[in-house]
Amino acid sequence: MMDFIIANAPALLIALPMLGAFALPLVGRLGDSARTGWVLGVGLITFVIAALLAWTVLSGGPVLYTFGAASPADALPADSGGIPIRIVFTVDAMSAFMAVFASFVGFITCLYSVASERRSSGKDGYYALMLLLLVGILGMVCTGDLFNFFVFLEINSLAGAALVAYRIDKGVSVEAGLKYGFLSTLAGLMVLYAIALLYGQYDSLNMAVIASRMSYTMLDKVALALFVAGLALKAGAVPLHFWTPDAYSMAPGAVTAFLVVASQAGLYGLFRILFSVYGLTLSYVTVGWAVIILGVLSMFVGVTMAIPQKDVKRLMAYHAVSQSGYMLLGVGVGLVVLGDAAAMDAFGRTAMEGGIFHIVNHAMYKGLLFLTAGAIFLQTGTRNLNKMGGLGHSMKWTMLFFIIGALAIAGIPPFNGFASKLMIYESVFAFSPVIAVIAMVVSILTLASFVKVFHAIFMGPEQPRHADAGEVPKPMLAAMAVLALLTILMGVFPEQIVTTVIAPAADALIDQSAYVATVFGGI
Amino acid sequence: MIAETLYTGFGAWNPVIWLVAFVVALLLAWAIQRLGEPDIPGDGESGKSYISGNDEPSPEDGHIGGSNLYWGFTEAMKGYYARVIPLHTGCLTDYVLWFLGTFALLFIFIGVI
């Protein structure tokens, strides 16, 4: 049984949450307890499968899974002319890393939703969309086929837009969902057009095949610009970030925490296209600088726009934009020096590791912060910082979790945000001291912003208008506690995380030939 | 303990050593606090806030809201904010224009340079 699960883990990773989603209307008829057990069971088993897959990849190298083939590793049948004609999942360390933490956050947000959505109607649809969002994310990070990537990107976008608009909230959330859905579709169409340009030239949709034939023609450059613009929009990078405060602020707290991971899947797609599909054929210095500029703009505009916000979730959404900038910066620096082995060894690899490490750290502490914001909204009914205060008296655990998340996002030791930011600061400083200083200033402004939020929400005397506010139910506290614990542990033991997971993920991106060989080695 | 050290290529960071130092500093701070007066002497009047002879405001009025903080920062940066905040119109068609403009710039940057 275990051998079967391990051998078919890439397929099960998608099939299980998809089955879980489509069966929910039936399971929901059995009652709340059955629905809750089903969702949490599916979420937990999906995470376990992702962890097993990651263990397989980290111990034995990339996993190739061909759908419909007699043997999953047989991507190139003898009569195929050397082209993988079936849909292929190519799971390397980067994919496995993304799959593990995405499925983990998916499980945690479902656990949180058990309590936060308990008074709401339409729970079958809500959880079905959460599981479909998970399917979209996992498919995006595992697939080795470009059209398949587009399909999962669309599943990700549609499920996300529906979740943003799921609670009526005076119609405003519907508007936010419409914006998210429209822009995500626009980004998806640009990605589809880019895929068509590559398919027209290289007669294949398989990423490894295209990578092996890439000649970087003018059409490839057009396709690359479309990919970068489309996926940067999905990731919420400045100046394509406008949808993030609208969508993140109107979605329920658990959904927002999961949407952060959905955006990071867009970031993954961008990195996969740049490194694994184009690789050394592109003008990596030019494109790398484009990524760095997007990163620096995201960092600075995100944090400065956060400071004057009065809506706690809009403020956090701008911080999410700002933190994405660190990831773009770290990986962008690695891309600039991709062809320079000495510079890559000196600082490029560390910058990439810092950027990738920041992805998972951000998912943990930003997820935690959005969950605390959801808890505060549940108890006070407002997101307006001017109408809060004194909640530290009645919501002590939420306050503690908020402090942990806030210190982590500001890069204060010993929390996880500090470890990844330190790697980014030091490596980027070797590349460009000015950019490193900007990154540090952004961290200081982030801390300043969260001091304001902390003071406005939790400090001061108890407010009579929030006299009824108490601590949130235990499932919500448990979800926040798990993320808080990981935020601490990943900060106290950063080297273990970097050595075990992050460094192999960075190497998987850097080594394009290994990615190509994963598919062509299956002959 | 060395196993927890994160090497960045230029330096190292050991959270465990930092945590030990932090706990020692906390213990010192606690010890110093213990040396102080245990409570405010008298009938409690001296513990009340003195606000130029005015009555203490109600708890709701006395809390400084989120908008009141960093007024100086936003005032100093008002030239920047006057340009950047209006760009966030909330209008979907504007967002689409930003997307098209960014794609055009990216294409020039990637395709021509």
Side-chain angles (χ1 to χ4, degrees):
Chain A
M1 181 67 178
M2 187 55 81
D3 288 343
F4 173 82
I5 291 173
I6 290 173
N8 295 285
L12 290 171
L13 202 56
I14 306 300
L16 191 69
M18 201 179 279
L19 171 72
F22 293 142
L24 258 171
L26 289 175
V27 177
R29 286 180 171 271
L30 301 175
D32 268 358
S33 302
R35 184 194 301 111
T36 301
W38 177 258
V39 170
L40 294 183
V42 168
L44 187 60
I45 295 171
T46 306
F47 167 65
V48 171
I49 292 172
L52 279 172
L53 182 60
W55 175 74
T56 309
V57 170
L58 292 173
S59 59
V63 169
L64 184 72
Y65 192 90
T66 313
F67 287 84
S71 162
D74 186 12
L76 303 171
D79 56 352
S80 72
I83 297 176
I85 53 174
R86 295 188 175 93
I87 290 173
V88 168
F89 272 19
T90 314
V91 186
D92 61 8
M94 183 68 194
S95 306
F97 155 75
M98 293 291 296
V100 167
F101 88 80
S103 54
F104 178 75
V105 176
F107 170 68
I108 291 295
T109 48
C110 284
L111 175 65
Y112 181 92
S113 300
V114 169
S116 68
E117 301 296 316
R118 70 189 188 285
R119 294 183 205 137
S120 307
S121 59
K123 286 197 271 278
D124 289 344
Y126 174 85
Y127 286 117
L129 288 167
M130 287 288 273
L131 290 175
L132 283 175
L133 182 57
L134 179 60
V135 169
I137 296 167
L138 292 174
M140 281 175 73
V141 303
C142 288
T143 187
D145 181 286
L146 276 177
F147 187 76
N148 208 228
F149 177 83
F150 163 75
V151 171
F152 284 115
L153 175 67
E154 287 299 287
I155 294 173
N156 176 333
S157 300
L158 291 175
L163 281 167
V164 169
Y166 205 72
R167 302 293 173 216
I168 297 169
D169 206 0
K170 298 170 190 156
V172 186
S173 58
V174 177
E175 184 190 335
L178 174 72
K179 287 178 185 172
Y180 181 67
F182 186 90
L183 289 170
S184 296
T185 305
L186 182 66
L189 283 173
M190 295 301 119
V191 168
L192 181 64
Y193 188 49
I195 293 167
L197 289 176
L198 296 182
Y199 180 62
Q201 291 184 91
Y202 302 116
D203 297 328
S204 179
L205 290 164
N206 187 279
M207 294 188 199
V209 173
I210 295 171
S212 67
R213 298 176 179 180
M214 177 61 68
S215 49
Y216 205 50
T217 62
M218 182 50 82
L219 277 181
D220 293 331
K221 291 178 183 176
V222 175
L224 183 59
L226 287 166
F227 273 127
V228 174
L231 293 170
L233 186 145
K234 187 72 187 161
V238 173
L240 307 166
H241 66 291
F242 295 100
W243 62 269
T244 47
D246 297 344
Y248 284 8
S249 62
M250 294 316 301
V255 172
T256 318
F258 205 17
L259 281 179
V260 170
V261 181
S263 294
Q264 289 178 332
L267 212 53
Y268 162 88
L270 178 62
F271 298 158
R272 181 62 81 195
I273 295 290
L274 290 173
F275 286 90
S276 300
V277 175
Y278 281 81
L280 281 169
T281 59
L282 56 70
S283 6
Y284 41 83
V285 176
T286 308
V287 181
W289 269 106
V291 174
I292 290 172
I293 290 167
L294 286 175
V296 172
L297 279 175
S298 301
M299 282 193 303
F300 189 76
V301 175
V303 77
T304 50
M305 279 302 295
I307 286 177
Q309 298 302 318
K310 299 179 187 72
D311 181 316
V312 61
K313 286 190 77 182
R314 283 186 79 84
L315 181 145
M316 288 186 183
Y318 279 113
H319 279 295
V321 171
S322 176
Q323 298 302 304
S324 300
Y326 284 95
M327 303 160 207
L328 287 165
L329 173 62
V331 178
V333 167
L335 185 59
V336 168
V337 299
L338 188 62
D340 182 345
M344 181 58 88
D345 288 341
F347 58 84
R349 193 179 300 272
T350 310
M352 286 188 67
E353 288 173 0
I356 293 168
F357 193 17
H358 208 62
I359 291 176
V360 64
N361 289 341
H362 182 235
M364 296 299 137
Y365 62 64
K366 181 55 81 175
L368 175 60
L369 286 169
F370 275 126
L371 294 189
T372 59
I376 292 158
F377 180 67
L378 186 75
Q379 298 303 79
T380 63
T382 181
R383 287 186 292 267
N384 190 334
L385 289 170
N386 291 334
K387 293 180 180 171
M388 297 182 196
L391 290 173
H393 296 278
S394 51
M395 300 179 74
K396 290 187 172 62
W397 283 107
T398 305
M399 179 174 72
L400 176 68
F401 298 140
F402 179 89
I403 291 171
I404 291 170
L407 292 176
I409 195 173
I412 301 296
F415 302 102
N416 60 358
F418 174 78
S420 48
K421 283 187 177 180
L422 179 70
M423 294 173 79
I424 294 171
Y425 294 154
E426 295 213 344
S427 52
V428 172
F429 188 83
F431 174 72
S432 165
V434 174
I435 298 177
V437 169
I438 292 172
M440 290 178 209
V441 169
V442 168
S443 270
I444 294 165
L445 292 176
T446 305
L447 180 62
S449 176
F450 274 94
V451 167
K452 161 184 145 175
V453 179
F454 177 70
H455 176 85
I457 296 176
F458 295 107
M459 291 289 99
E462 282 186 280
Q463 300 284 299
R465 62 183 153 205
H466 300 313
D468 297 337
E471 196 51 275
V472 289
K474 281 177 183 151
M476 293 171 74
L477 287 178
M480 291 189 278
V482 172
L483 290 183
L485 186 66
L486 281 170
T487 300
I488 296 170
L489 287 178
M490 290 165 70
V492 176
F493 303 102
E495 180 63 10
Q496 278 82 349
I497 308 285
V498 170
T499 310
T500 315
V501 184
I502 307 298
D507 289 341
L509 278 184
I510 294 167
D511 191 356
Q512 187 197 29
S513 58
Y515 186 82
V516 173
T518 303
V519 172
F520 286 96
I523 298 174
Chain B
M1 189 169 283
I2 296 301
E4 276 71 50
T5 302
L6 175 72
Y7 295 98
T8 62
F10 304 91
W13 158 244
N14 191 312
V16 177
I17 293 175
W18 187 89
L19 272 175
V20 170
F22 187 73
V23 169
V24 170
L26 275 181
L27 287 173
L28 279 173
W30 177 74
I32 292 167
Q33 190 202 23
R34 294 271 296 172
L35 296 173
E37 289 288 338
D39 204 351
I40 300 161
D43 56 0
E45 279 293 312
S46 54
K48 286 188 175 175
S49 305
Y50 177 71
I51 313 170
S52 301
N54 297 310
D55 291 336
E56 200 172 338
S58 68
E60 195 163 2
D61 297 332
H63 182 59
I64 299 168
S67 296
N68 301 97
L69 291 172
Y70 303 135
W71 172 85
F73 179 82
T74 48
E75 182 66 14
M77 298 272 286
K78 65 182 176 186
Y80 168 79
Y81 281 119
R83 287 170 179 79
V84 174
I85 290 178
L87 299 178
H88 297 74
T89 58
C91 181
L92 185 56
T93 48
D94 289 348
Y95 297 177
V96 175
L97 276 176
W98 273 102
F99 178 80
L100 294 175
T102 306
F103 164 69
L105 278 175
L106 278 169
F107 175 65
I108 293 167
F109 200 70
I110 292 170
V112 179
I113 296 175

